[in-house]
Amino acid sequence: MLFGVAEPELVDVVVVGLGVGGEEVAERLAEAGLNVVGVERDLVGGECPYWGCIPSKMMIRAANALAEARRVDGLAGTAQVQPDWAPVAKRIREEATDTWDDTVAAERFVGKGGRLVRGSGRLDGPRRVRVGDQVFEARHGVVLGTGTRPSVPPIDGLADTPYWTNHQAIEVEELPESLLVLGGGAIGLELAQVFARFGVRVTVVEALDRVLAIEEPEASEVAAAALRADGVEIHTGVRAERVEHDGTRFTLRGGGAEFTADRLLVVTGRKAHLAELGLDTIGLDASQRYLPVDDRLHVTDHVWAVGDITGEGAFTHIAMYQAGIVIADILARARQAKAGADASGTSSVVGGAMGASSSLAASGSSGSAGTVPRADYRALPRVTFTDPEIGAVGLTEQQARERGINVQVGFTKLASSTRGWIHRVGDDGFIKLVADADQGVLIGATSAGPAGGEVLSALVVAVHAAVPLSQLRHMIYAYPTFHRAIETALRDLS
Ligand SMILES: Cc1cc2nc3c(=O)[nH]c(=O)nc-3n(C[C@H](O)[C@H](O)[C@H](O)COP(=O)(O)OP(=O)(O)OC[C@H]3O[C@@H](n4cnc5c(N)ncnc54)[C@H](O)[C@@H]3O)c2cc1C
């Protein structure tokens, strides 16, 4: 400490935010022998394991089991279904989240050689991160993986009410009788269907003219029809103007209508909070919506970003994909720095990472930045885990047309496939293909249906590898699978 100013502690890498992306980067770099500080202010693991993907998919699994049981009638006899939320809440508490305790994840990181610092991290000049009174200087650089938080619209009265975000919806122990869901995107629809299947009266209010507006219009129709069949009321084109809470019930007004319910869940998108990150200390603009990165996830020299904060897609698989590139890039640079230091005989001066030289060598990382992969989001897959699932990859038809591509579209309904016909109840869905006619390849696709997210994998390969349409047409598709409908949609391409 010099005149009350903390001396920076020299380390190899500082990772700020140990969500899906940051945790992966921090763990793998620590495992490779680098001196890594991971800064986390809440739970190591972030949104996905505690309030996102995993608990929500546990809820969906349970809700789908109820829906399947209700389909016994007419297919296999009769079944009486008595929903009970208690086992779902218990499973989320005990199996998914350890009652929102990250000891296991924190110990795993420390066990791999990382140093966990609890608190809020912010940049404090080039390569420096401040956490309270502690300042770290990162020899190789800083990785920002601070994710997003719910974006709550400035609706009159809303801020003064006890509305739910995804956190309260995931943590709920006792279900309300009625629920208003503000926002008809993927998260809103998934949770709306779950709660409806457990007997909650659910109303979805969406400002745009259709739910799931970023996907194909046919996907919006299928999802809306499925939710309505589960008893969900859906109101699109309604811009919420005012929210009130009288101590027990919520009232939402908008578009000349009024909706009331016991609870209000706000799922209107997510927001990165860049202003908290000290970006100004390295000359960066903190007023942007997301942090722009290049194809190796560089924000600027010695600063990388991963995950939701980059705005490239709010998905765990994006955060993990980007993390892989950042890890390869940092390890390549660390090896180069070590080689340079070895050549000049200064490795003891260069310090920490050099202590790790043997593990770096053994980590098998690339020795040159030239071999570090570059991010490519052409074949970004997205799955909305409603029943039916809506899987999508690449461009929608409209996006492709807006880019001036010579578009061909192929479409088939799942119910008209052999497997759909056999499946009968619950067979809603379709395959839609978007092709670039000039290149003769698929550039986008949607697979909606009972296993839409799984069927999607074939379409992701086709878009990712730019498999020629002629080859896709001459593949053998197993009979009678749902994915065989891809062949029918290919025949429909025109
Ligand atoms: C209900 C729901 C369901 C979802 N379902 C899916 C799904 O099925 N599939 C899918 O792919 N994705 C899903 N997602 C999205 C997925 O959860 C996110 O894309 C993913 O968590 C993003 O990871 P991340 O590392 O960018 O950030 P996060 O997971 O948000 O983690 C960021 C971390 O940084 C910490 N932090 C923030 N600021 C600071 C700071 N200044 N200092 C220290 N720490 C800080 C936070 O506490 C947090 O732990 C879902 C999300 C929600 C909300």
Side-chain angles (χ1 to χ4, degrees), residues 16-17 19-21 39-43 46-48 51-53 56-57 119-121 145-148 166 187 270 277 307-308 314-317 385:
V16 184
V20 179
V39 187
E40 173 56 53
R41 71 171 169 206
D42 197 349
L43 297 182
E47 204 71 2
C48 179
W51 297 285
C53 335
S56 68
K57 266 76 245 176
S120 286
T146 49
T148 50
N166 61 300
I187 295 174
R270 314 269 310 172
L277 295 179
D308 284 9
F315 299 103
T316 285
H317 45 270
F385 290 88

Side-chain angles (χ1 to χ4, degrees), residues 233-272:
E233 255 188 54
I234 299 181
H235 299 269
T236 53
V238 176
R239 195 161 282 280
E241 289 151 12
R242 177 155 181 83
V243 173
E244 286 158 21
H245 186 252
D246 65 6
T248 44
R249 284 176 74 75
F250 286 85
T251 302
L252 185 151
R253 292 177 224 281
E258 187 177 292
F259 309 93
T260 59
D262 295 336
R263 293 285 174 195
L264 169 67
L265 168 62
V266 179
V267 273
T268 43
R270 314 269 310 172
K271 188 174 181 304

Side-chain angles (χ1 to χ4, degrees), residues 2 17 40 72 74 133 190 193 210 265 290 306 339 393 441 461 465 485:
L2 187 67
E40 173 56 53
V72 165
D133 289 341
E190 288 180 5
Q193 190 176 45
R210 60 186 174 99
L265 168 62
Y290 295 106
V306 287
V393 59
V441 294
V461 173

Side-chain angles (χ1 to χ4, degrees), residues 349-368:
V349 178
V350 179
M354 303 312 117
S357 56
S358 56
S359 23
L360 271 183
S363 72
S365 66
S366 144
S368 134

Side-chain angles (χ1 to χ4, degrees), residues 45-272:
E47 204 71 2
C48 179
Y50 296 103
W51 297 285
C53 335
I54 294 176
S56 68
K57 266 76 245 176
M58 275 185 178
M59 291 159 70
I60 289 167
R61 167 77 177 119
N64 287 358
L66 292 176
E68 272 302 279
R70 288 173 180 135
R71 289 169 182 153
V72 165
D73 289 25
L75 272 183
T78 56
Q80 278 220 323
V81 181
Q82 189 60 51
D84 181 5
W85 187 253
V88 185
K90 183 172 188 294
R91 194 168 176 220
I92 289 173
R93 211 174 44 242
E94 293 179 2
E95 293 177 32
T97 67
D98 283 347
T99 318
W100 292 274
D101 179 322
D102 66 354
T103 305
V104 171
E107 286 179 357
R108 187 175 54 225
F109 173 51
V110 173
K112 289 186 174 172
R115 177 164 152 211
L116 176 61
V117 175
R118 299 276 185 185
S120 286
R122 54 181 288 128
L123 291 161
D124 195 29
R127 300 196 210 193
R128 287 193 182 186
V129 172
R130 173 179 288 277
V131 190
D133 289 341
Q134 290 173 284
V135 181
F136 299 95
E137 181 157 328
R139 193 175 283 113
H140 298 308
V142 176
V143 182
L144 300 173
T146 49
T148 50
R149 297 206 290 274
S151 157
V152 178
I155 298 167
D156 193 21
L158 177 61
D160 302 325
T161 68
Y163 64 84
W164 280 0
T165 65
N166 61 300
H167 282 221
Q168 291 76 30
I170 296 284
E171 291 175 17
V172 66
E173 296 269 342
E174 273 188 35
L175 295 184
E177 274 183 23
S178 55
L179 175 73
L180 274 170
V181 178
L182 185 60
I187 295 174
L189 295 191
E190 288 180 5
L191 294 175
Q193 190 176 45
V194 164
F195 289 128
R197 287 180 164 183
F198 275 87
V200 179
R201 266 181 296 111
V202 181
T203 305
V204 174
V205 176
E206 165 60 51
L208 298 175
D209 63 357
R210 60 186 174 99
V211 294
L212 221 52
I214 60 164
E215 300 300 354
E216 296 283 6
E218 297 89 340
S220 305
E221 280 170 30
V222 164
L227 264 73
R228 286 192 170 115
D230 281 315
V232 177
E233 255 188 54
I234 299 181
H235 299 269
T236 53
V238 176
R239 195 161 282 280
E241 289 151 12
R242 177 155 181 83
V243 173
E244 286 158 21
H245 186 252
D246 65 6
T248 44
R249 284 176 74 75
F250 286 85
T251 302
L252 185 151
R253 292 177 224 281
E258 187 177 292
F259 309 93
T260 59
D262 295 336
R263 293 285 174 195
L264 169 67
L265 168 62
V266 179
V267 273
T268 43
R270 314 269 310 172
K271 188 174 181 304

